[in-house]
Structures are given as C-alpha cells and as structure tokens.
Amino acid sequence: MILFIVFLLGFVLDWIEITLIVLPLMRPIVNGLGLDIPGFGVMDEPALVWFVILVAVTLQTSFLTPPVGFALFYLKGVCPPEIKLTDIYKGIIPFVILQLTGLAFVFLWPQLATWLPSVAY
C-alpha cells in the first residue's frame, strides 16, 4: 500500500518532495513491521535499505507512466513534431513492464537490494 501511495505521488510531485516527506514518515512503520530482511551481519537496518530501494524503483516507474509522466513530457520536448504523445505512451510500455518486473524481483528477493551495501560497508 505504501508503494502504491508513492507511485501515485510520483505523478504530481518531484522525487525530492516525496523522499523528504514520505520516507521519514514511513521509517517507523517499516521498522515496526519486523521484517526479516538479511543484512548479512553488517547493516544496522536492512529492512530500511530494502524499502528505500523499492521506493526508488517505484518513483522511476511513476515518472514514466501517464497521466503526468514527467519523463514523457521531457522526451516529447526533444522529439520531432511528427511524433505524437500517444506514440511515446505506447513506446514506454515495455520499459514500464521491465521496471515492474524488477520491482517484483526486489520485493520477493530482498537480498538483491541488501547484498551490495553489505559488501560495501
């Protein structure tokens, strides 16, 4: 539900506003869920790292989807005039499907998001 709210907020707000407003509000909720996310014995709050990665991928997906789709309007601004906005909407469908697939992978296998930070720290 939280990711769905972030997805909807991504239609109308920039990523900075969302991260400054939503993430501090959701931190106690995510920590309170008691999720058993592997931190590989190195990270203090692996569930929070996993959640922030999920939020980042969700925001990237929301910036590519109508009705607002900030990235789509930027692309329309640099395209030749004969390319319609509906053509751009049709063209992003495979990319949105790939991003949703990646989001599902990270949601189902949190180790994908926590392994590299555990090695780096």
Side-chain angles (χ1 to χ4, degrees), residues 24-99:
L25 291 174
M26 297 303 164
R27 180 181 181 171
I29 296 170
V30 172
N31 286 340
L33 292 174
L35 299 170
D36 187 28
I37 306 296
F40 303 100
V42 178
M43 292 189 298
D44 292 334
E45 298 178 274
L48 193 60
V49 172
W50 172 70
F51 177 71
V52 169
I53 297 294
L54 288 175
V55 167
V57 175
T58 303
L59 283 175
Q60 284 297 333
T61 306
S62 72
F63 293 155
L64 276 179
T65 54
V68 178
F70 292 119
L72 303 176
F73 289 107
Y74 299 147
L75 185 61
K76 177 62 178 153
V78 297
C79 285
E82 61 268 7
I83 295 178
K84 299 177 189 164
L85 195 57
T86 55
D87 297 330
I88 294 173
Y89 284 166
K90 291 175 189 174
I92 58 108
I93 292 172
F95 296 102
V96 171
I97 291 171
L98 282 172
Q99 284 188 311

